[in-house]
Amino acid sequence: MSIDAVVWDIDDTLFDYTAADRAGMRDHLAAEGLLDGGTTAEQALGRWREITDAQWARYAAGETDWQGQRRDRVRVFLGESLSDAEADAWFDRYVTHYEGAWALFPDVLPVLDELVASHRHAVLSNSSLLVQDRKLRVLGVHDRFEAILCAAELGVSKPAAAAFHAACDALGLPPHRVAYVGDHPEIDGRGAADAGLLSVWIDRGGAHAAAGAAGRTGPHRIGSLAELPAILDADTRFGAWSTFG
């Protein structure tokens, strides 16, 4: 059964979000004078990432909205009861540093070029269209995708099957003819597989190797997007949890 389209996650799949976030936050903390009290950059970055994960979980659970999770990340991190305007201003200053570090992973353009004639392409992200549309334009790949769908506008987020099915509907294809590529083993990998898509989990550097050790049916685990065309050609529904390392 052929795969006609690939739907992509963005952050830490196409775009090196982790590196940009770390570099941007490090520069922002230095500019804000928040590394002057004995706190190291690594300690501050670790705390920021923990808070970000916690607030994203609240957002995914419907406990807050997109702007609310941003504001609460700032308030918790600083330990201050900031007004909305103050929290927004602090986050906007961070974004300036963060955007200065934006970059695609080096394996992205080669695989998009290789698949351009054989597969259609779309994006499904748990972020907002306001953020991701601009990001794809800045990174120079916006026109590679027929559709760009984001949870903030859809009203449903991964790993819910409805999110993946919305992407399939946007392409006019049934799930079994669509592949999904993402970096999170459960939100992306397991979610796409459970929704009936051919699921490909990109695990650069083996960061989540333990999660794929069970050898069960599910997402194909790859270490580089260079491995993707072979999986699409093979089109098997049985996950290769350890295709590298």
Side-chain angles (χ1 to χ4, degrees), residues 180-212:
Y180 188 81
V181 183
D183 71 289
H184 195 284
E186 293 298 325
I187 293 173
D188 296 317
R190 182 57 53 185
D194 288 349
L197 288 74
L198 178 67
S199 178
V200 182
W201 165 38
I202 175 73
D203 183 21
R204 288 187 175 86
H208 298 283

mmCIF file of all heavy atoms in Angstrom, residues 180-212:
data_model
loop_
_atom_site.group_PDB
_atom_site.id
_atom_site.type_symbol
_atom_site.label_atom_id
_atom_site.label_comp_id
_atom_site.label_asym_id
_atom_site.label_seq_id
_atom_site.Cartn_x
_atom_site.Cartn_y
_atom_site.Cartn_z
ATOM 1 N N TYR A 180 3.716 10.080 9.086
ATOM 2 C CA TYR A 180 3.970 11.207 9.989
ATOM 3 C C TYR A 180 5.374 11.071 10.561
ATOM 4 O O TYR A 180 5.772 9.991 11.003
ATOM 5 C CB TYR A 180 2.955 11.263 11.144
ATOM 6 C CG TYR A 180 3.115 12.537 11.943
ATOM 7 C CD1 TYR A 180 2.548 13.714 11.495
ATOM 8 C CD2 TYR A 180 3.889 12.570 13.104
ATOM 9 C CE1 TYR A 180 2.729 14.914 12.188
ATOM 10 C CE2 TYR A 180 4.067 13.755 13.797
ATOM 11 C CZ TYR A 180 3.489 14.914 13.339
ATOM 12 O OH TYR A 180 3.677 16.088 14.011
ATOM 13 N N VAL A 181 6.118 12.180 10.558
ATOM 14 C CA VAL A 181 7.483 12.195 11.076
ATOM 15 C C VAL A 181 7.563 13.201 12.218
ATOM 16 O O VAL A 181 7.255 14.388 12.037
ATOM 17 C CB VAL A 181 8.499 12.583 9.987
ATOM 18 C CG1 VAL A 181 9.921 12.510 10.541
ATOM 19 C CG2 VAL A 181 8.353 11.681 8.764
ATOM 20 N N GLY A 182 7.964 12.721 13.408
ATOM 21 C CA GLY A 182 8.090 13.602 14.564
ATOM 22 C C GLY A 182 9.124 13.084 15.531
ATOM 23 O O GLY A 182 9.571 11.940 15.433
ATOM 24 N N ASP A 183 9.504 13.925 16.500
ATOM 25 C CA ASP A 183 10.622 13.591 17.390
ATOM 26 C C ASP A 183 10.217 13.006 18.733
ATOM 27 O O ASP A 183 11.061 12.457 19.442
ATOM 28 C CB ASP A 183 11.470 14.849 17.646
ATOM 29 C CG ASP A 183 10.736 15.854 18.525
ATOM 30 O OD1 ASP A 183 9.773 16.474 18.048
ATOM 31 O OD2 ASP A 183 11.120 16.032 19.703
ATOM 32 N N HIS A 184 8.957 13.111 19.123
ATOM 33 C CA HIS A 184 8.561 12.623 20.447
ATOM 34 C C HIS A 184 8.031 11.196 20.338
ATOM 35 O O HIS A 184 7.110 10.922 19.545
ATOM 36 C CB HIS A 184 7.495 13.520 21.064
ATOM 37 C CG HIS A 184 7.316 13.302 22.528
ATOM 38 N ND1 HIS A 184 6.652 12.214 23.036
ATOM 39 C CD2 HIS A 184 7.740 14.028 23.606
ATOM 40 C CE1 HIS A 184 6.647 12.268 24.357
ATOM 41 N NE2 HIS A 184 7.309 13.359 24.729
ATOM 42 N N PRO A 185 8.558 10.244 21.135
ATOM 43 C CA PRO A 185 8.168 8.841 20.980
ATOM 44 C C PRO A 185 6.697 8.558 21.234
ATOM 45 O O PRO A 185 6.130 7.652 20.610
ATOM 46 C CB PRO A 185 9.057 8.106 21.995
ATOM 47 C CG PRO A 185 9.496 9.145 22.969
ATOM 48 C CD PRO A 185 9.584 10.420 22.191
ATOM 49 N N GLU A 186 6.063 9.321 22.120
ATOM 50 C CA GLU A 186 4.648 9.076 22.416
ATOM 51 C C GLU A 186 3.739 10.054 21.684
ATOM 52 O O GLU A 186 2.813 9.652 20.983
ATOM 53 C CB GLU A 186 4.414 9.145 23.931
ATOM 54 C CG GLU A 186 5.097 8.024 24.698
ATOM 55 C CD GLU A 186 4.597 6.643 24.301
ATOM 56 O OE1 GLU A 186 3.391 6.513 24.001
ATOM 57 O OE2 GLU A 186 5.413 5.702 24.279
ATOM 58 N N ILE A 187 3.978 11.344 21.851
ATOM 59 C CA ILE A 187 3.113 12.360 21.243
ATOM 60 C C ILE A 187 3.090 12.223 19.726
ATOM 61 O O ILE A 187 2.029 12.286 19.096
ATOM 62 C CB ILE A 187 3.576 13.772 21.653
ATOM 63 C CG1 ILE A 187 3.355 13.985 23.150
ATOM 64 C CG2 ILE A 187 2.834 14.848 20.854
ATOM 65 C CD1 ILE A 187 3.925 15.286 23.677
ATOM 66 N N ASP A 188 4.248 12.030 19.136
ATOM 67 C CA ASP A 188 4.353 11.895 17.685
ATOM 68 C C ASP A 188 4.320 10.425 17.258
ATOM 69 O O ASP A 188 3.459 10.015 16.481
ATOM 70 C CB ASP A 188 5.656 12.546 17.185
ATOM 71 C CG ASP A 188 5.691 14.043 17.422
ATOM 72 O OD1 ASP A 188 4.665 14.697 17.188
ATOM 73 O OD2 ASP A 188 6.742 14.560 17.834
ATOM 74 N N GLY A 189 5.286 9.651 17.758
ATOM 75 C CA GLY A 189 5.442 8.277 17.303
ATOM 76 C C GLY A 189 4.247 7.400 17.591
ATOM 77 O O GLY A 189 3.621 6.845 16.677
ATOM 78 N N ARG A 190 3.910 7.242 18.853
ATOM 79 C CA ARG A 190 2.792 6.392 19.220
ATOM 80 C C ARG A 190 1.462 7.002 18.788
ATOM 81 O O ARG A 190 0.551 6.293 18.348
ATOM 82 C CB ARG A 190 2.806 6.145 20.727
ATOM 83 C CG ARG A 190 1.713 5.224 21.237
ATOM 84 C CD ARG A 190 1.701 3.866 20.585
ATOM 85 N NE ARG A 190 2.992 3.195 20.633
ATOM 86 C CZ ARG A 190 3.248 2.026 20.042
ATOM 87 N NH1 ARG A 190 2.303 1.418 19.358
ATOM 88 N NH2 ARG A 190 4.446 1.486 20.129
ATOM 89 N N GLY A 191 1.348 8.327 18.903
ATOM 90 C CA GLY A 191 0.095 8.981 18.510
ATOM 91 C C GLY A 191 -0.240 8.761 17.050
ATOM 92 O O GLY A 191 -1.383 8.435 16.701
ATOM 93 N N ALA A 192 0.754 8.934 16.165
ATOM 94 C CA ALA A 192 0.517 8.747 14.734
ATOM 95 C C ALA A 192 0.193 7.294 14.420
ATOM 96 O O ALA A 192 -0.692 7.001 13.606
ATOM 97 C CB ALA A 192 1.733 9.217 13.945
ATOM 98 N N ALA A 193 0.919 6.361 15.046
ATOM 99 C CA ALA A 193 0.664 4.941 14.809
ATOM 100 C C ALA A 193 -0.751 4.567 15.234
ATOM 101 O O ALA A 193 -1.471 3.863 14.513
ATOM 102 C CB ALA A 193 1.693 4.097 15.549
ATOM 103 N N ASP A 194 -1.168 5.035 16.396
ATOM 104 C CA ASP A 194 -2.513 4.717 16.891
ATOM 105 C C ASP A 194 -3.607 5.330 16.013
ATOM 106 O O ASP A 194 -4.731 4.823 15.968
ATOM 107 C CB ASP A 194 -2.674 5.206 18.334
ATOM 108 C CG ASP A 194 -1.882 4.368 19.336
ATOM 109 O OD1 ASP A 194 -1.390 3.286 18.942
ATOM 110 O OD2 ASP A 194 -1.743 4.802 20.496
ATOM 111 N N ALA A 195 -3.263 6.440 15.338
ATOM 112 C CA ALA A 195 -4.233 7.104 14.456
ATOM 113 C C ALA A 195 -4.286 6.467 13.077
ATOM 114 O O ALA A 195 -5.078 6.891 12.230
ATOM 115 C CB ALA A 195 -3.895 8.587 14.332
ATOM 116 N N GLY A 196 -3.438 5.456 12.836
ATOM 117 C CA GLY A 196 -3.484 4.724 11.579
ATOM 118 C C GLY A 196 -2.541 5.199 10.509
ATOM 119 O O GLY A 196 -2.593 4.720 9.365
ATOM 120 N N LEU A 197 -1.645 6.141 10.844
ATOM 121 C CA LEU A 197 -0.667 6.619 9.888
ATOM 122 C C LEU A 197 0.586 5.747 9.937
ATOM 123 O O LEU A 197 0.832 5.055 10.934
ATOM 124 C CB LEU A 197 -0.271 8.071 10.172
ATOM 125 C CG LEU A 197 -1.290 9.175 9.859
ATOM 126 C CD1 LEU A 197 -2.434 9.202 10.878
ATOM 127 C CD2 LEU A 197 -0.603 10.536 9.812
ATOM 128 N N LEU A 198 1.387 5.786 8.888
ATOM 129 C CA LEU A 198 2.712 5.187 8.943
ATOM 130 C C LEU A 198 3.567 6.120 9.787
ATOM 131 O O LEU A 198 3.830 7.256 9.403
ATOM 132 C CB LEU A 198 3.308 5.048 7.545
ATOM 133 C CG LEU A 198 4.719 4.485 7.489
ATOM 134 C CD1 LEU A 198 4.749 3.033 7.941
ATOM 135 C CD2 LEU A 198 5.298 4.608 6.084
ATOM 136 N N SER A 199 3.980 5.676 10.955
ATOM 137 C CA SER A 199 4.627 6.543 11.932
ATOM 138 C C SER A 199 6.144 6.377 11.893
ATOM 139 O O SER A 199 6.661 5.263 11.985
ATOM 140 C CB SER A 199 4.107 6.219 13.334
ATOM 141 O OG SER A 199 4.760 7.017 14.299
ATOM 142 N N VAL A 200 6.844 7.504 11.789
ATOM 143 C CA VAL A 200 8.302 7.511 11.776
ATOM 144 C C VAL A 200 8.783 8.453 12.869
ATOM 145 O O VAL A 200 8.483 9.650 12.855
ATOM 146 C CB VAL A 200 8.863 7.954 10.414
ATOM 147 C CG1 VAL A 200 10.391 7.893 10.426
ATOM 148 C CG2 VAL A 200 8.303 7.093 9.292
ATOM 149 N N TRP A 201 9.516 7.893 13.809
ATOM 150 C CA TRP A 201 10.001 8.642 14.972
ATOM 151 C C TRP A 201 11.480 8.961 14.778
ATOM 152 O O TRP A 201 12.299 8.070 14.731
ATOM 153 C CB TRP A 201 9.747 7.814 16.225
ATOM 154 C CG TRP A 201 10.473 8.241 17.449
ATOM 155 C CD1 TRP A 201 10.741 9.511 17.854
ATOM 156 C CD2 TRP A 201 11.023 7.385 18.446
ATOM 157 N NE1 TRP A 201 11.430 9.502 19.048
ATOM 158 C CE2 TRP A 201 11.611 8.209 19.420
ATOM 159 C CE3 TRP A 201 11.053 5.995 18.598
ATOM 160 C CZ2 TRP A 201 12.250 7.680 20.547
ATOM 161 C CZ3 TRP A 201 11.687 5.471 19.713
ATOM 162 C CH2 TRP A 201 12.271 6.313 20.680
ATOM 163 N N ILE A 202 11.812 10.241 14.660
ATOM 164 C CA ILE A 202 13.189 10.674 14.500
ATOM 165 C C ILE A 202 13.800 10.903 15.880
ATOM 166 O O ILE A 202 13.350 11.771 16.624
ATOM 167 C CB ILE A 202 13.298 11.943 13.603
ATOM 168 C CG1 ILE A 202 14.722 12.472 13.543
ATOM 169 C CG2 ILE A 202 12.329 13.036 14.019
ATOM 170 C CD1 ILE A 202 15.657 11.643 12.722
ATOM 171 N N ASP A 203 14.784 10.090 16.218
ATOM 172 C CA ASP A 203 15.418 10.131 17.544
ATOM 173 C C ASP A 203 16.902 10.440 17.352
ATOM 174 O O ASP A 203 17.751 9.561 17.468
ATOM 175 C CB ASP A 203 15.210 8.790 18.242
ATOM 176 C CG ASP A 203 15.777 8.771 19.663
ATOM 177 O OD1 ASP A 203 15.956 9.858 20.248
ATOM 178 O OD2 ASP A 203 16.041 7.669 20.172
ATOM 179 N N ARG A 204 17.197 11.680 17.034
ATOM 180 C CA ARG A 204 18.578 12.079 16.772
ATOM 181 C C ARG A 204 19.441 11.892 18.023
ATOM 182 O O ARG A 204 19.101 12.359 19.092
ATOM 183 C CB ARG A 204 18.641 13.535 16.334
ATOM 184 C CG ARG A 204 18.105 13.781 14.935
ATOM 185 C CD ARG A 204 18.364 15.207 14.495
ATOM 186 N NE ARG A 204 17.951 15.415 13.113
ATOM 187 C CZ ARG A 204 16.730 15.732 12.737
ATOM 188 N NH1 ARG A 204 15.791 15.875 13.668
ATOM 189 N NH2 ARG A 204 16.438 15.900 11.472
ATOM 190 N N GLY A 205 20.553 11.210 17.858
ATOM 191 C CA GLY A 205 21.470 11.019 18.968
ATOM 192 C C GLY A 205 21.018 9.981 19.975
ATOM 193 O O GLY A 205 21.656 9.810 21.010
ATOM 194 N N GLY A 206 19.912 9.291 19.712
ATOM 195 C CA GLY A 206 19.443 8.266 20.642
ATOM 196 C C GLY A 206 18.979 8.824 21.967
ATOM 197 O O GLY A 206 19.071 8.160 22.992
ATOM 198 N N ALA A 207 18.451 10.049 21.955
ATOM 199 C CA ALA A 207 18.045 10.699 23.204
ATOM 200 C C ALA A 207 16.986 9.918 23.959
ATOM 201 O O ALA A 207 16.906 9.966 25.181
ATOM 202 C CB ALA A 207 17.543 12.118 22.915
ATOM 203 N N HIS A 208 16.147 9.172 23.240
ATOM 204 C CA HIS A 208 15.060 8.422 23.868
ATOM 205 C C HIS A 208 15.208 6.924 23.616
ATOM 206 O O HIS A 208 14.224 6.203 23.507
ATOM 207 C CB HIS A 208 13.704 8.888 23.324
ATOM 208 C CG HIS A 208 13.402 10.318 23.594
ATOM 209 N ND1 HIS A 208 12.981 10.772 24.818
ATOM 210 C CD2 HIS A 208 13.490 11.413 22.796
ATOM 211 C CE1 HIS A 208 12.795 12.086 24.756
ATOM 212 N NE2 HIS A 208 13.099 12.487 23.546
ATOM 213 N N ALA A 209 16.434 6.452 23.531
ATOM 214 C CA ALA A 209 16.664 5.062 23.147
ATOM 215 C C ALA A 209 15.914 4.071 24.023
ATOM 216 O O ALA A 209 15.387 3.072 23.546
ATOM 217 C CB ALA A 209 18.156 4.750 23.185
ATOM 218 N N ALA A 210 15.845 4.325 25.314
ATOM 219 C CA ALA A 210 15.183 3.391 26.229
ATOM 220 C C ALA A 210 13.704 3.227 25.902
ATOM 221 O O ALA A 210 13.125 2.161 26.098
ATOM 222 C CB ALA A 210 15.349 3.863 27.668
ATOM 223 N N ALA A 211 13.082 4.295 25.379
ATOM 224 C CA ALA A 211 11.655 4.240 25.081
ATOM 225 C C ALA A 211 11.363 3.272 23.947
ATOM 226 O O ALA A 211 10.256 2.765 23.832
ATOM 227 C CB ALA A 211 11.137 5.634 24.710
ATOM 228 N N GLY A 212 12.356 2.992 23.098
ATOM 229 C CA GLY A 212 12.106 2.125 21.963
ATOM 230 C C GLY A 212 12.651 0.734 22.136
ATOM 231 O O GLY A 212 12.766 -0.001 21.164
#
